[in-house]
Amino acid sequence: MKTMLVTGGAGFIGSHFVRHILNTYEDYKVINLDKLTYAGNPENLSDVADSPRYEFVTGDICNAELVNYLMQGVDLVANFAAESHVDRSIMGAEEFMRSNALGVYTLLAAAREHEVERFLQVSTDEVYGSLEEDEDPWTEESPISPRNPYSVPKAAGDQMARAFAITYGLPVVITRASNNIGPFQYPEKRVPIYITNALDDLPLPVYGAGVAIRDHLYVTDHCEAIDLVLHQGVVGEAYNVGSENEADGLTVAKKILEYLEKPGDLIQHVADRPGHDMRYAMNATKIQSLGWKPKFDFDEAMRLTVEWYLGNEAWWRNIRESASYREYYEKQYSNR
Ligand code: NAD
Ligand code: DAU
């Protein structure tokens, strides 16, 4: 048996990864350490909760004592735990500095102490900053140049992971992925807000002119990439995980309305995000050379995502009706 510590496994991507590992490797046990912030939801893993190979621990990756205790006997670590929403980081970034930077250091130090076999840091394309339309996509050698209060501590975590490989020889690998979409994404991110608003005939808020470009990666494609890099990536290296599914804001909004057969006048332009990164795009040939390629293109990824929200109303309605979600939504959108 191998033991894998997954942190942040009750969130969107982490929950898909826990399920992927339990379903793929019969000889793996998964310990899921998650603080259960507003974004963490044990319901995301209700289908595997009773597995004898799965253990859930509520706790903070910044808690060195707990992390050191859990790290005993761990072979592999995959760190997903983070504050993940850019708009919330613009409101205040203290928790982002803690979880996205200090939390990574705390995990790395414990992994070093306990001599783990592999440590994968889940990073993001946002560490590269923002691209102009005519610029080539980022490679792993592009400068790290984050521009918002979410991505700055993410870049610190990414680079601290690299430093542990260089300085202490810790067997670290890093993945930098583009915008994930799919089931169980908390409806603060653009795609699930648009789908759930459209289903309630509410406006779809488009920041500025809706021209910012994102690459849309289906969440299970991302999990397969992380699995591959964790097991076969070269120690000390970073891997871009991009799917070349680039689309701008208006295209995304129109596609969702089209799938749901809702009218175009639900699109509502609102004040732009301060410091809005205008384009993310990555060259993913390095991970492709390990044998990874995404299974889902933009249309298919979007269709599957829309279908999941249509079929799982209780999941998202529960969140949308919570006091904390309503408070956030009001603060973020009422004066835009
Ligand atoms: P999410 O917000 O859905 O989930 C984050 C999870 O981490 C939650 O379960 C939360 O409770 C937990 N968490 C937060 N702080 C913690 C702490 N201090 N200790 C323990 N648990 C904590 O996020 P997500 O969208 O699933 O993103 C997961 C990871 O992937 C993050 O590191 C994010 O930066 C990275 N990433 C996300 C995307 C994307 O498009 N969503 C793309 C690239 C990289
Ligand atoms: O690229 C990877 C990153 O993708 C991850 O590291 C982050 O954790 C994840 O949240 C995501 O960041 P973005 O800022 O790109 O995602 P978000 O869904 O917040 O916004 C996507 C685009 O849509 C962006 O151009 C801003 C715009 N937007 C967003 C919201 C929430 C709108 O136009 N309206 C909205 O209401």
Side-chain angles (χ1 to χ4, degrees), residues 7-14 33-41 59-62 79-85 95 98-100 103 121-125 150 154 175-181 184-186 188-189 222:
T7 58
F12 165 46
I13 309 171
L33 170 63
D34 195 296
K35 190 178 169 185
L36 296 183
T37 68
Y38 75 94
N41 186 348
D60 192 330
I61 58 166
C62 300
N79 176 33
F80 294 80
E83 288 295 331
S84 67
H85 193 37
E95 276 304 303
R98 261 175 43 78
S99 298
N100 302 5
Q121 171 61 14
V122 179
S123 188
T124 166
D125 58 4
Y150 155 73
K154 281 298 289 184
T175 51
R176 299 182 183 137
S178 57
N179 281 55
N180 283 221
I181 59 173
F184 299 112
Q185 188 170 30
Y186 190 89
E188 65 186 348
K189 307 293 181 345
H222 186 190

Side-chain angles (χ1 to χ4, degrees), residues 303-323:
R303 189 184 62 76
L304 288 171
T305 305
V306 168
E307 275 174 10
W308 187 83
Y309 282 86
L310 267 171
N312 290 275
E313 180 172 344
W315 183 89
W316 56 263
R317 196 148 311 275
N318 213 9
I319 294 171
R320 286 188 62 117
E321 285 175 359
S322 68

Side-chain angles (χ1 to χ4, degrees), residues 84-87 124-126 150 177-179 188-191 193-194 205-207 212 214 273 276-277 280 333:
S84 67
H85 193 37
V86 173
D87 290 326
T124 166
D125 58 4
E126 296 205 19
Y150 155 73
S178 57
N179 281 55
E188 65 186 348
K189 307 293 181 345
R190 185 242 311 267
V191 166
I193 283 196
Y194 284 6
V206 172
Y207 294 167
R214 296 292 184 265
R273 172 183 281 174
H276 202 164
D277 288 341
Y280 302 146
Y333 294 102

